[in-house]
Amino acid sequence: MLKILNLEAGYGQLRVLKGISLHVLPGEAVAIIGANGAGKTTLLKTIAGVLRPRSGKIMFNKQDISNEPLEKIVEAGCCLAPEGRHVFSTMTVKENLLLGAYHRQRNGASADIASSLKQVYKLFGILEERANQLAGTLSGGQQQMLAIGRALMSGPKLLMMDEPSLGVAPLLVKSIYQTIANLKREGLTILLVEQNARAALALADRGYVFETGQIVLEGTSRELGDNPEVQRAYLGKEYRRIDE
Ligand SMILES: Nc1ncnc2c1ncn2[C@@H]1O[C@H](COP(=O)(O)OP(=O)(O)OP(=O)(O)O)[C@@H](O)[C@H]1O
Ligand SMILES: [Mg+2]
């Protein structure tokens, strides 16, 4: 579904991604783990069309999206749920959600929008309860749900998520990850970036480990979870897969 070849990107003089190659197959959940500043967000922003690649190629469903504008990439079915604190805080929850369906509104797909909204409210009941509340007044965890919900409103085939556990209480992390697991079960393909390697590897089929803009390790989640280096650097104590 997604294939990235030798991707380089950065900001001004700063070279962040140094030749990234990775892929995501249809129906897979793939995790990218790595420390602060490793370039995880930069990678997602580059795939989503927020940031232009300097070189390399991004193929999405056999279409070269490396230089497509953001709206085209969303329309193709590749959508980024940013970190929760990047919701539009002065707009209501519902306005934020509808914004995620912007291109469908333009194409007159109002029935699809209504059904996506229903789906999002079913996944995250709190968003329906708070539909008319300003997004900025939501808790950190609720804002994460809103960011994911907004991305789902675009009707994605590939959902990319940037740190859905950031700033979220442990119990809610569990619930958000259960929801992501359900979306995966329903067939959604997922690319997930996390500092919380424990949560990410418990959900994902495969993963890549990022260090200073490069992939230093890749494998199935089980392989990565069993790897002593990964355990020491990212997992700490023993962890268990979500489906066990
Ligand atoms: N808009 C920007 N302008 C300039 N430099 C930036 C910008 N955004 C990120 N950087 C730099 O790029 C590097 C990679 O940042 P990035 O946000 O991709 O890391 P990350 O892996 O997502 O980290 P974190 O886990 O803290 O979210 C860092 O050195 C960061 O300072
Ligand atoms: Mg980041």
Side-chain angles (χ1 to χ4, degrees):
M1 176 162 285
L2 179 74
K3 193 167 176 64
I4 296 177
L5 288 166
N6 266 321
L7 187 66
E8 307 241 344
Y11 310 90
Q13 297 288 331
L14 186 68
R15 196 170 156 239
V16 178
L17 303 181
K18 301 163 187 156
I20 297 293
S21 297
L22 59 81
H23 67 275
V24 181
L25 300 173
E28 264 192 325
V30 172
I32 291 173
I33 58 179
N36 286 119
K40 306 181 298 295
T41 298
T42 302
L43 173 71
L44 293 190
K45 283 189 350 201
T46 311
I47 300 170
V50 179
L51 197 66
R52 289 277 145 234
R54 289 196 180 151
S55 63
K57 219 175 198 180
I58 307 168
M59 303 292 293
F60 179 68
N61 282 335
K62 305 216 163 66
Q63 180 190 349
D64 187 347
I65 57 163
S66 320
N67 283 296
E68 291 287 350
L70 191 140
E71 313 83 63
K72 285 271 182 254
I73 296 173
V74 172
E75 219 169 321
C78 177
C79 192
L80 169 64
E83 280 174 29
R85 56 193 163 90
H86 294 306
V87 297
F88 296 101
S89 55
T90 58
M91 293 170 71
T92 67
V93 167
K94 190 172 177 189
E95 284 166 346
N96 266 275
L97 290 174
L98 290 176
L99 211 61
Y102 173 74
H103 72 95
R104 294 165 114 187
Q105 244 149 16
R106 224 179 27 196
N107 298 340
S110 49
D112 294 346
I113 297 173
S115 106
S116 287
L117 192 62
K118 226 168 127 187
Q119 181 207 9
V120 169
Y121 283 161
K122 199 167 153 219
L123 288 173
F124 303 114
I126 191 79
L127 297 183
E128 185 167 20
E129 277 171 42
R130 304 287 165 91
N132 297 313
Q133 188 173 322
L134 293 183
T137 64
L138 294 177
S139 75
Q142 292 162 351
Q143 291 189 17
Q144 291 289 4
M145 295 180 195
L146 180 55
I148 296 170
R150 190 176 67 194
L152 287 173
M153 289 298 292
S154 72
K157 299 184 181 88
L158 172 69
L159 175 63
M160 301 189 286
M161 277 175 281
D162 195 357
E163 312 248 15
S165 75
L166 195 75
V168 180
L171 208 63
L172 199 52
V173 170
K174 215 169 165 185
S175 137
I176 289 179
Y177 265 82
Q178 276 304 346
T179 305
I180 302 172
N182 289 339
L183 289 168
K184 176 180 189 286
R185 217 165 292 134
E186 286 164 18
L188 190 66
T189 307
I190 288 162
L191 178 62
L192 177 77
V193 152
E194 268 289 1
Q195 276 185 58
N196 187 339
R198 181 178 298 270
L201 289 181
L203 169 91
D205 302 300
R206 285 191 302 116
Y208 296 89
V209 180
F210 257 51
E211 259 171 40
T212 55
Q214 286 174 310
I215 292 169
V216 292
L217 209 62
E218 63 176 280
T220 64
S221 295
R222 207 172 289 271
E223 285 163 356
L224 292 179
D226 289 342
N227 182 302
E229 290 281 303
V230 175
Q231 285 178 355
R232 197 180 57 235
Y234 302 105
L235 290 171
K237 285 177 274 169
E238 192 203 338
Y239 89 107
R240 224 180 32 235
R241 282 189 56 85
I242 209 164
D243 51 8
E244 276 172 2

